[in-house]
């Protein structure tokens, strides 16, 4: 029995997709599934940030709903496991940890930029009724 594959060419991009088993759009959703992951990538695009800085930055743009420490820790851990960010712990007291984008994480920046361009008109707020 042969393995089922998607269409040979993407109707959206015209690219050969015959070697791909999982739809890239579905994979993107699974990789960045979580309420704050895209925003964390945007924050880290500006350079390395500490845990508290990331948490505070998530207030802006999220209708001032604070992220819980448990959820922020989970999001950061998943992103690190997927190779999107790195965590650097410094041997100092008090504990100091910084997060930064990896090459894999930086490769998502153009996608994020297009999402932000799309939303710059405010259409996303209209769709969500915000």
């Amino acid at each position: 029995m042969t393995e089922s594959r998607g269409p040979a060419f993407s109707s959206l991009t015209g690219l050969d997709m015959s070697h791909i088993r999982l739809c890239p759009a579905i994979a993107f959703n699974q990789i960045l599934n979580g309420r704050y992951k895209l925003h964390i990538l945007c924050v880290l695009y500006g350079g390395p940030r500490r845990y508290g800085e990331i948490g505070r930055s998530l207030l802006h743009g999220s209708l001032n709903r604070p992220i819980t420490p448990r959820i922020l820790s989970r999001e950061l851990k998943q992103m690190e496991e997927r190779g999107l960010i790195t965590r650097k712990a410094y041997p100092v007291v008090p504990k100091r940890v910084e997060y930064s984008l990896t090459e894999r994480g930086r490769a998502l920046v153009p996608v994020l930029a297009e999402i932000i361009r799309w939303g710059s008109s405010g259409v996303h707020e209209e769709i969500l009724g915000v």
Side-chain angles (χ1 to χ4, degrees), residues 1-87:
M1 182 172 206
T2 60
E3 216 173 280
S4 174
R5 298 219 184 254
F9 288 90
S10 165
S11 61
L12 185 63
T13 65
L15 296 173
D16 177 12
M17 301 297 284
S18 61
H19 63 288
I20 302 294
R21 293 187 326 186
L22 177 62
C23 170
I26 292 170
F28 180 84
N29 189 48
Q30 289 177 354
I31 291 166
L32 291 170
N33 186 23
R35 188 172 187 174
Y36 301 97
K37 287 186 179 82
L38 289 175
H39 195 119
I40 291 169
L41 287 174
C42 289
V43 169
L44 293 179
Y45 176 69
R49 297 285 186 268
R50 295 179 70 178
Y51 179 90
E53 292 175 305
I54 296 169
R56 284 187 299 277
S57 72
L58 294 176
L59 281 174
H60 180 70
S62 63
L63 303 175
N64 288 326
R65 295 183 195 132
I67 184 171
T68 65
R70 179 171 101 24
I71 291 175
L72 179 56
S73 293
R74 183 187 69 206
E75 297 275 89
L76 291 169
K77 184 177 181 181
Q78 287 175 352
M79 292 174 75
E80 184 181 11
E81 288 170 352
R82 293 173 179 162
L84 302 175
I85 64 172
T86 58
R87 179 184 186 273

